């Protein structure tokens, strides 16, 4: 067992120094955070900056603003639509509002501009109208007219309280969490597969098995790269926690937090899913002839894993239906399915337990199968085994298969 720990330590140290891992663990979170804040900054600038519009005119045909009060400093009254349009065409103003004669009856206001108007400008004009319509009311009543409801969204099945501004962030949070989850588990399991293929191709495997058993070698690689995946996941979770902590000043992040149950379930399913995929990748790496071939096989399982995304509408319309329930219990799709269901609502505790048990049993079986294939095909060079040979290797006692180039001798030579 000590040799397995030595291999695990070597795998961890070797891969943690790789530029590819450093970028995936540290670079990608930084890039995502920077991109997110840049996009949000641009959106806020677009929707909140009213100065880019410049002066704004209003034409009051209803008389509501005849003796206007609380006029915004960049607003000016124009006598007619023609005058306002001429000013707009000469770039003296950036937009103008027209309050028709029947405004009190219909509530219709026309707005004309040469560019898209920020939402803040519309809010400013709405406040301007309300202040004049309710000039005989006190300030508190006017404030309630401007913002009559300060609502929060309560999800009954989870008891979580969500601010309306943060609703879309909560809606997309599972996608972010699943992305982190998949990056952590599949990246490191792919490292393991590449390591097995590389060591088998350059025949370093021949040297290794003179000092360790195939099981110790496989166990060491899985543990070492598993620790690497946990390190990557920890970095991402800490980065996400920092973003949510320091981003509370932004309206769309206020009150947003990663639920503890989702984090705990994520760690459980990450660990089991990693061991499942790592064992699969080790078996694929042992029987594949080249790394390109092994990646082709691995992509099949990766495609199966993301099936819940193709059926995402079912998670909203029928979260307890047969399709979603099957995806929750099927071991290759259960990690993503459970996280999505827990994030968007609730699911029966018995389904969570059953999903974990099925995934655990499947992982144990796959580890056993992969260990036998790994031992049998460890030194299989220059020959691609058939499915019949692989199944035959699973039925008989574990032995290591070897192939060597054949040589011919000539009788009667001098």
């Amino acid at each position: 067992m000590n040799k397995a720990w030595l291999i695990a330590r070597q795998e961890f140290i070797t891969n943690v120094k790789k530029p590819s891992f450093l970028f995936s663990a540290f670079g990608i979170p930084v890039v995502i955070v920077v991109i997110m804040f840049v996009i949000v900054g641009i959106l806020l600038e677009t929707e909140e900056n009213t100065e880019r519009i410049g002066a704004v005119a209003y034409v009051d045909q209803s008389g509501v603003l005849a003796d206007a009060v609380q006029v915004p400093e960049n607003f000016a009254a124009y006598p007619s639509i023609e005058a306002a349009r001429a000013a707009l065409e000469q770039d003296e103003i950036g937009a103008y509002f027209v309050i028709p004669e029947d405004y009190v009856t219909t509530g219709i206001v026309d707005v004309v501009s040469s560019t898209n108007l920020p939402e803040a400008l519309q809010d400013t004009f709405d406040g301007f109208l309300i202040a004049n319509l309710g000039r005989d009311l006190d300030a508190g009543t006017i404030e309630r007219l401007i913002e009559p409801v300060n609502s929060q969204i309560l999800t009954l099945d989870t008891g979580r309280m969500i601010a309306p501004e943060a609703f879309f962030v909560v809606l997309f949070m599972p996608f972010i969490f699943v992305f982190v989850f998949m990056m952590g588990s599949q990246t490191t399991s792919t490292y393991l597969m590449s390591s097995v293929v590389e060591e088998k191709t350059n025949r370093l495997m021949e040297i290794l098995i003179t000092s360790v058993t195939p099981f110790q070698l496989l166990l060491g690689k899985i543990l070492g790269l598993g620790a690497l995946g946990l390190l990557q996941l920890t970095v991402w979770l800490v980065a996400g926690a920092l973003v949510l902590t320091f981003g509370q000043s932004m309206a769309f992040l206020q009150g947003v937090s990663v639920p503890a149950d989702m984090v705990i379930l994520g760690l459980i399913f990450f660990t089991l899913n990693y061991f499942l995929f790592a064992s699969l990748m080790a078996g694929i790496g042992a029987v594949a002839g080249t790394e390109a071939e092994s990646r082709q096989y691995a992509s099949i399982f990766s495609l199966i894993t993301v099936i819940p995304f193709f059926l995402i509408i079912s998670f909203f319309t029928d979260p307890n239906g047969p399709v979603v329930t099957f995806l929750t219990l099927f071991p290759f799709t259960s990690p993503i399915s459970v996280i999505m269901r827990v994030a968007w609502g609730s699911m029966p505790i018995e389904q969570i337990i059953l999903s974990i048990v099925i995934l655990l049993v499947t992982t144990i079986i796959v580890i056993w199968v992969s260990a036998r294939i790994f031992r049998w095909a460890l030194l299989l060079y220059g020959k691609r085994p058939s499915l019949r040979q692989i199944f035959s290797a699973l039925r008989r006692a574990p032995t290591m298969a070897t192939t060597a180039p054949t040589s011919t001798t000539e009788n009667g030579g001098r």
Side-chain angles (χ1 to χ4, degrees):
M1 193 65 181
N2 185 47
K3 293 181 179 179
W5 285 114
L6 289 175
I7 294 172
R9 179 175 176 272
Q10 180 62 28
E11 287 289 336
F12 180 85
I13 294 175
T14 300
N15 287 281
V16 80
K17 296 178 182 179
K18 288 184 176 179
S20 57
F21 172 77
L22 293 175
F23 178 74
S24 63
F26 300 97
I28 291 180
V30 172
V31 171
I32 290 177
V33 170
V34 170
I35 291 176
M36 184 184 72
F37 277 99
V38 168
I39 292 176
V40 171
I42 293 174
L43 291 176
L44 291 176
E45 175 70 16
T46 302
E47 296 300 325
E48 300 293 334
N49 185 8
T50 59
E51 294 181 358
R52 65 182 178 86
I53 299 299
V56 177
Y58 63 90
V59 179
D60 180 22
Q61 297 177 334
S62 66
V64 172
L65 302 176
D67 299 315
V69 297
Q70 300 184 22
V71 182
E73 60 181 24
N74 61 327
F75 277 46
Y78 274 61
S80 65
I81 296 177
E82 291 74 15
R85 179 171 298 177
L88 179 65
E89 292 175 351
Q90 296 174 12
D91 294 329
E92 295 176 2
I93 59 175
Y96 65 88
F97 293 87
V98 178
I99 302 95
E101 293 180 2
D102 57 352
Y103 162 73
V104 175
T105 304
T106 64
I108 295 176
V109 174
D110 299 323
V111 57
V112 180
S113 69
S114 56
T115 183
N116 292 330
L117 296 181
E119 185 178 349
L121 181 63
Q122 183 65 55
D123 293 339
T124 300
F125 185 76
D126 291 346
F128 176 41
L129 274 177
I130 292 173
N132 284 273
L133 288 170
R135 66 178 63 195
D136 296 329
L137 302 175
D138 60 89
T141 304
I142 292 177
E143 185 178 351
R144 289 283 68 81
L145 287 172
I146 296 174
E147 190 175 356
V149 178
N150 188 10
S151 62
Q152 287 186 317
I153 300 171
L154 173 65
T155 55
L156 294 178
D157 50 359
T158 63
R160 294 172 189 155
M161 192 72 72
I162 305 169
E165 299 84 359
F167 178 74
F168 288 103
V169 176
V170 174
L171 183 66
F172 285 102
M173 184 183 295
F175 295 102
I176 300 172
F177 199 86
V178 166
F179 176 75
V180 173
F181 177 88
M182 295 295 295
M183 283 288 294
S185 61
Q186 295 205 12
T187 300
T188 47
S189 59
T190 303
Y191 280 166
L192 190 150
M193 180 184 66
S194 301
S195 174
V196 171
V197 174
E198 180 183 357
E199 291 174 1
K200 197 178 81 167
T201 302
N202 59 24
R203 301 213 160 192
L204 179 61
M205 202 71 74
E206 294 181 6
I207 301 175
L208 292 175
I209 63 171
T210 61
S211 304
V212 297
T213 65
F215 179 76
Q216 289 174 331
L217 182 61
L218 177 61
L219 180 61
K221 287 181 174 293
I222 290 178
L223 291 178
L225 292 172
L228 195 72
L230 285 175
L231 173 62
Q232 181 177 355
L233 188 63
T234 301
V235 171
W236 282 57
L237 289 177
V238 170
L242 291 175
V243 170
L244 292 178
T245 300
F246 293 102
Q248 292 299 308
S249 58
M250 299 183 180
F252 73 99
L253 287 179
Q254 287 180 1
V256 176
S257 62
V258 180
D261 55 348
M262 196 166 81
V263 174
I264 294 172
L265 286 175
L267 291 174
I268 293 173
F269 278 97
F270 169 83
T271 303
L272 293 177
N273 188 71
Y274 166 73
F275 279 105
L276 175 63
F277 267 84
S279 303
L280 278 172
M281 298 302 106
I284 291 173
V287 299
T290 63
E291 185 171 350
E293 182 182 351
S294 65
R295 290 185 180 276
Q296 290 176 350
Y297 293 143
S299 63
I300 297 175
F301 294 99
S302 299
L303 182 61
I304 294 175
T305 303
V306 298
I307 286 177
F309 285 125
F310 297 107
L311 301 174
I312 193 171
I313 190 65
S314 298
F315 286 83
F316 292 105
T317 59
D318 194 13
N320 296 309
V323 174
V324 175
T325 301
F326 172 78
L327 294 175
T328 302
L329 300 179
F330 185 60
F332 289 96
T333 58
S334 61
I336 292 179
S337 300
V338 170
I339 291 174
M340 289 167 61
R341 290 184 67 181
V342 170
W344 290 328
S346 64
M347 60 180 293
I349 186 64
E350 59 270 16
Q351 283 193 19
I352 296 178
I353 296 174
L354 182 59
S355 178
I356 293 175
V357 171
I358 292 175
L359 181 57
L360 177 62
V361 172
T362 304
T363 301
I364 293 173
I365 294 173
V366 171
I367 289 176
W368 178 82
V369 171
S370 295
R372 292 181 71 94
I373 294 175
F374 186 81
R375 179 183 178 91
W376 171 76
L378 202 57
L379 300 179
L380 193 62
Y381 298 107
K383 181 180 178 182
R384 180 183 301 172
S386 63
L387 288 176
R388 182 177 179 181
Q389 289 175 313
I390 294 175
F391 285 122
S392 177
L394 294 176
R395 289 196 302 267
R396 63 173 181 260
T399 57
M400 287 190 295
T402 59
T403 60
T406 58
S407 60
T408 57
T409 58
E410 296 183 3
N411 295 326
R414 284 188 280 181

